[in-house]
């Protein structure tokens, strides 16, 4: 009996993607080995008091994949299934992601092996604060060392606890707030961070859909308007991806969550779906939609764009042949296994890869870090001055032409440069520029064949340049 080879692990998939792209770079083996290697992994086991007086030993990790730029940066995941290999895979993706979007950080990732959905808030707070102590004791957190952020299972609340704990351990440290990003706005966060990954995804999708030739070869019209989208996951990334797709004129025809999926070709409103789920405890039986009890089946429905925004390893050798989406927009980290990637490649599916597509989160985290270090809100100093200059210019045009602008024209011609609009415009610029870099790499070297390989190729070259300029590899 012939046995089919065991599927690669998530970590092996990342290494496979790296090696596939590295082969095109011509860099020496030693340099590529250093870029690929995870520089350090710390594993902790720490005690946490339960409400009933029992003591539970909790496992946690922090992997710092690359120190070619400092600080290192990466989210913290709370999941019962997480292990060291997954943390290393996620840390490596962070290194390549930061390079793709020119965010000057090395990659890192942290995790705590708990199911956050079954824990009381007080327990989560104790675990988060204790985990922060572990990081601090080992110099694995600090504005210039390593800066965590949210990932699956964590959010603004956990980031606020981390900042508060770090500040208590470092009284008077001026830049302490920059020790973590993704905080609530009232606790040193930045407007636009919570929705940044979803917003960035839709900028990435819009950019890809504007490539008329690519759309023609997929049999699709150019632009986002009317594209039929399926979103897997209704957490931070999935919810905001659905929202911005809808706002940009696409139709979210299905939403997929662990308990099943719902389909409505006329389009779903993500807020109404969230409200229904809160009220009934399930997404199923949403009024007007067809319920699908096995969530995996919904990934194979006919659509233009599939957005896996939940977990890694969702598109595999098993289901990839049946995936009908023409475009895969990777909201999650590592949703496509290397075997599935080969199948999708052969089918001509356009995969917009995680290390580019979901980089909006770390991009706006970078803006938050800059805000914390400068101790001033973006736009605070120049907003009024810019608005006055704009008004004076319009007035000059009115005097010269005799034509007067109405309030709508004025509002669009003199935009208010407040924090949110500055953040969103910086995010859009980052996503558009990175897409152009990747697309250009593919145009120059068609042998790269796809956007993922081109994204890894550009990331490896940027990191290699940083090492070479340090003189480590003359
Ligand atoms: P989250 O915890 O807010 O949401 C994840 C959602 O996925 C949950 O609602 C969960 O119920 C759902 N889910 C889990 N298994 C599923 C399944 N089999 N089918 C359908 N849904 C399932 O996490 P998040 O922050 O939205 O992160 C999601 C993914 O995006 C992760 O891979 C994460 O690493 C990646 N990511 C997150 C950010 C960020 O800023 N939060 C940035 C970049 C990448």
């Amino acid at each position: 009996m012939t046995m089919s080879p065991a599927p690669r692990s998530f970590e092996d998939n990342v290494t496979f993607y790296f090696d596939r792209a590295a082969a095109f770079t011509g860099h020496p083996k030693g340099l590529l080995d250093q870029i690929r290697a995870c520089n350090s992994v710390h594993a902790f086991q720490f005690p946490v008091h339960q409400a009933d007086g029992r003591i539970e030993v909790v496992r946690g990790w922090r992997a710092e994949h690359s120190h070619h730029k400092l600080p290192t940066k990466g989210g913290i995941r709370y999941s019962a299934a997480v292990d060291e290999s997954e943390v290393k895979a996620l840390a490596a993706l962070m290194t390549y992601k930061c390079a793709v979007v020119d965010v000057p950080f090395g990659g890192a990732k942290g995790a705590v092996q708990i199911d956050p959905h079954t824990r009381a808030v007080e327990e989560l707070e104790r675990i988060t604060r204790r985990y922060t102590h572990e990081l601090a004791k080992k110099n694995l957190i600090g504005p210039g060392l390593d800066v965590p952020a949210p990932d699956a299972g964590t959010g603004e609340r956990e980031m606020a606890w981390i900042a508060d704990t770090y500040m208590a351990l470092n009284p008077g440290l001026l830049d302490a707030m920059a020790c973590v990003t993704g905080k609530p706005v009232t606790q040193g966060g930045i407007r636009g961070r919570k929705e940044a990954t979803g917003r960035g995804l839709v900028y990435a999708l819009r950019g890809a859909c504007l490539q008329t030739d690519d759309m023609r070869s997929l049999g699709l019209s150019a632009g986002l308007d009317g594209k039929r989208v399926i979103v897997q996951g209704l957490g931070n990334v999935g919810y905001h991806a659905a929202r911005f797709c809808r706002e940009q004129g696409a139709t979210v025809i299905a939403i997929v969550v662990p308990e099943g999926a719902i389909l409505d070709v006329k389009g779903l409103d993500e807020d109404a779906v969230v409200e229904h789920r809160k009220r009934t405890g399930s997404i199923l039986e949403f009024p007007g939609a067809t319920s699908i009890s096995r969530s995996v089946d919904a990934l194979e429905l006919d659509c233009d764009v599939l957005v896996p925004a939940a977990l890694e390893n969702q598109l595999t050798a098993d289901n990839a042949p049946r995936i009908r989406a023409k475009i895969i927009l990777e909201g999650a980290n590592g949703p496509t296994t290397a075997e599935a990637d080969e199948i999708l490649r052969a089918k001509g599916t356009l995969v917009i890869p995680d290390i580019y597509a979901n980089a909006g989160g770390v991009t706006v985290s970078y803006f938050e870090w800059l805000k914390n270090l400068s101790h001033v809100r973006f736009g605070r100093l120049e907003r009024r001055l810019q608005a006055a200059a704009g008004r004076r210019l319009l007035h000059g045009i009115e005097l010269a032409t005799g034509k007067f602008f109405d309030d709508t024209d004025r509002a669009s011609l003199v935009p208010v440069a407040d924090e949110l609009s500055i953040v969103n415009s910086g995010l859009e610029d980052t996503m558009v520029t990175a897409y152009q870099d990747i697309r250009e790499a593919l145009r120059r070297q068609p042998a790269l064949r796809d956007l993922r390989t081109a994204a890894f190729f550009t990331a490896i070259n940027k990191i290699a340049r940083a090492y070479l300029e340090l003189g480590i590899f003359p």
Side-chain angles (χ1 to χ4, degrees), residues 340-354:
D341 192 69
E342 290 292 337
I343 295 166
L344 295 169
R345 215 184 205 207
K347 286 207 294 187
T349 310
L350 180 72
V351 179
I352 309 177
D354 49 6

Side-chain angles (χ1 to χ4, degrees), residues 78 90 166 214 244 262 299 425 459:
Y78 284 2
L90 290 162
Y166 183 81
D214 291 351
F244 293 118
I262 48 172
L299 303 179
S425 128

Side-chain angles (χ1 to χ4, degrees), residues 272-288:
V273 173
V274 167
E275 185 48 42
H276 169 81
R277 197 183 191 201
K278 253 192 217 146
R279 212 177 47 249
T280 67
S282 167
I283 197 175
L284 301 174
E285 310 302 331
F286 181 72

Side-chain angles (χ1 to χ4, degrees), residues 238-249:
Y239 167 82
H240 288 107
R243 176 183 150 200
F244 293 118
C245 276
R246 184 181 52 71
E247 286 181 4
Q248 292 286 318

Side-chain angles (χ1 to χ4, degrees), residues 141-189:
I141 183 168
L145 291 171
D146 190 350
V147 181
D151 189 71
T154 61
E156 288 186 340
R157 182 185 59 184
E158 286 73 17
M159 301 308 116
W161 289 331
I162 292 173
D164 187 54
T165 309
Y166 183 81
M167 286 194 294
L169 292 169
N170 296 276
L173 184 70
L174 192 59
D175 292 333
M177 270 290 188
C179 73
V180 63
T181 59
K183 303 178 291 292
V185 173
T186 56
Q187 305 293 319

Side-chain angles (χ1 to χ4, degrees), residues 155-232:
E156 288 186 340
R157 182 185 59 184
E158 286 73 17
M159 301 308 116
W161 289 331
I162 292 173
D164 187 54
T165 309
Y166 183 81
M167 286 194 294
L169 292 169
N170 296 276
L173 184 70
L174 192 59
D175 292 333
M177 270 290 188
C179 73
V180 63
T181 59
K183 303 178 291 292
V185 173
T186 56
Q187 305 293 319
I190 196 166
R191 287 164 187 80
R193 171 60 184 90
K194 194 161 48 176
E195 58 270 40
T197 308
R199 189 183 281 279
L201 277 169
V202 178
Y203 287 145
L205 179 62
R206 199 183 56 192
C209 290
L210 286 175
Q211 303 286 327
T212 321
D213 289 349
D214 291 351
M215 290 304 109
R216 197 176 303 120
S217 63
L218 293 170
L220 296 173
S221 58
L224 250 178
D225 220 31
K227 292 271 180 309
R228 297 163 309 144
V229 179
I230 296 178
V231 179
Q232 183 201 32

Side-chain angles (χ1 to χ4, degrees), residues 119-135:
R119 302 279 179 157
V121 173
E122 303 72 39
E123 251 181 276
L124 287 172
E125 179 170 357
R126 278 198 295 277
I127 291 169
T128 306
R129 289 186 182 278
R130 181 59 204 243
Y131 176 72
T132 310
H133 270 265
E134 295 296 323
L135 294 178

Side-chain angles (χ1 to χ4, degrees), residues 10 77-78 90 94 97 109 116-117 149-154 193-194 196-198 231-239 256-260 277 295-296 299 308-312 314 330-335 354 358-362 365:
F10 180 17
R77 175 171 289 194
Y78 284 2
L90 290 162
M94 282 305 296
K97 190 181 302 182
K109 206 78 177 192
H117 308 293
D151 189 71
T154 61
R193 171 60 184 90
K194 194 161 48 176
T197 308
V231 179
Q232 183 201 32
L234 199 52
N236 180 311
V237 179
Y239 167 82
V256 189
V257 295
E259 71 263 22
R277 197 183 191 201
S295 49
V296 283
L299 303 179
L311 290 175
E312 56 273 6
Q314 295 302 298
E330 294 189 337
N333 285 309
D354 49 6
N358 71 34
V362 75
S365 272

